[in-house]
Amino acid sequence: MAAGYGQGMNARLRLAQQPEADALLERDPLALMIGMLLDQQVPMEWAFSGPYTIAGRLGRDRLDAREIAAYDPERFAALLSEKPAVHRYPGAMAGRVQQLCGYLAEHYDGDPTAMWRDASSGEELLRRLNELPGFGKQKAQIFLALLGKRLGVRPKGWREAAGSYGEEGAYRSVADITGPESLDKVRAHKQELKRQAKRAKGGAGG
């Protein structure tokens, strides 16, 4: 088990909704980070099963940032594009995955846990996550909440740094999913946000 990862009481993940894919997310911090990167414009289960698919096609039982960063870009894009594709936009996401892995290889010796092992505060960890290629503020806050709520990575002030995603008892993001029931609640919350945005847009247009 990677140091400082998976030591929390809530370390069971149910994001891919597939036992083997979720088991990889639990034991491999890079897989979880790549799943978070892929979690856009596709259903959550599709995004978080992606790392398991990539590992299988590479013939590995876990992912290696240096190996992925050094992979021939065209071959890696083809690997993600094989059916079933890893993402709706496999070519573009292959490039983003390689950028992320290249950044981790350069700045953290390929080890994602180095990002939070010595983070003195939630704000510092959020800043580091925000610097990752493909991670904007929202994605960084959700990942910080996921680490704190599910995996016991809790530097001082982590809930505050995660913003509304860090709130206890909330159902706002992947950080709050522990099974089918909580998944339904998170989806309902997101649908309500979309409805509110649509109403606000209609009001502004009127």
Side-chain angles (χ1 to χ4, degrees):
M1 186 72 72
Y5 182 86
Q7 304 300 319
M9 292 177 63
N10 302 310
R12 302 300 291 178
L13 296 176
R14 296 289 182 270
L15 302 179
Q17 301 284 302
Q18 296 178 33
E20 299 88 351
D22 280 322
L24 177 64
L25 300 177
E26 289 172 11
R27 71 175 182 267
D28 184 354
L30 178 59
L32 187 67
M33 193 171 276
I34 290 175
M36 189 75 226
L37 178 69
L38 294 171
D39 188 24
Q40 54 188 13
Q41 298 179 295
V42 295
M44 178 201 74
E45 299 95 322
W46 187 358
F48 282 96
S49 64
Y52 180 73
T53 303
I54 294 171
R57 291 175 184 175
L58 288 172
R60 305 283 185 265
D61 62 359
R62 60 188 301 135
L63 297 173
D64 184 296
R66 292 191 200 85
E67 179 185 16
I68 292 174
Y71 216 84
D72 176 78
E74 287 189 12
R75 287 181 60 208
F76 193 67
L79 185 139
L80 268 66
S81 300
E82 286 178 30
K83 293 188 178 180
V86 167
H87 194 273
R88 182 173 293 152
Y89 306 106
M93 295 310 295
R96 292 190 181 188
V97 170
Q98 287 196 289
Q99 283 182 330
L100 174 65
C101 289
Y103 184 90
L104 291 170
E106 181 180 352
H107 296 275
Y108 295 101
D109 201 26
D111 179 10
T113 67
M115 296 188 70
W116 52 81
R117 244 193 333 259
D118 64 347
S120 61
S121 67
E123 280 295 334
E124 183 180 356
L125 178 51
L126 179 63
R127 177 185 59 77
R128 293 179 182 183
L129 290 169
N130 208 31
E131 290 171 350
L132 291 172
F135 274 61
K137 182 180 179 182
Q138 183 184 46
K139 195 176 285 285
Q141 285 187 314
I142 292 172
F143 194 74
L144 175 57
L146 178 60
L147 289 172
K149 290 181 175 182
R150 305 269 79 85
L151 294 157
V153 177
R154 297 167 180 167
K156 183 179 178 181
W158 70 271
R159 284 191 188 275
E160 294 78 6
S164 61
Y165 301 108
E167 292 175 11
E168 196 167 357
Y171 293 97
R172 290 190 172 91
S173 74
V174 296
D176 304 305
I177 293 170
T178 55
E181 185 179 347
S182 52
L183 173 59
D184 288 343
K185 290 181 180 179
V186 169
R187 286 212 163 115
H189 172 75
K190 291 185 176 182
Q191 287 299 321
E192 178 57 28
L193 288 181
K194 286 181 181 178
R195 282 192 290 270
Q196 290 175 10
K198 192 173 182 179
R199 284 197 298 268
K201 188 176 181 182

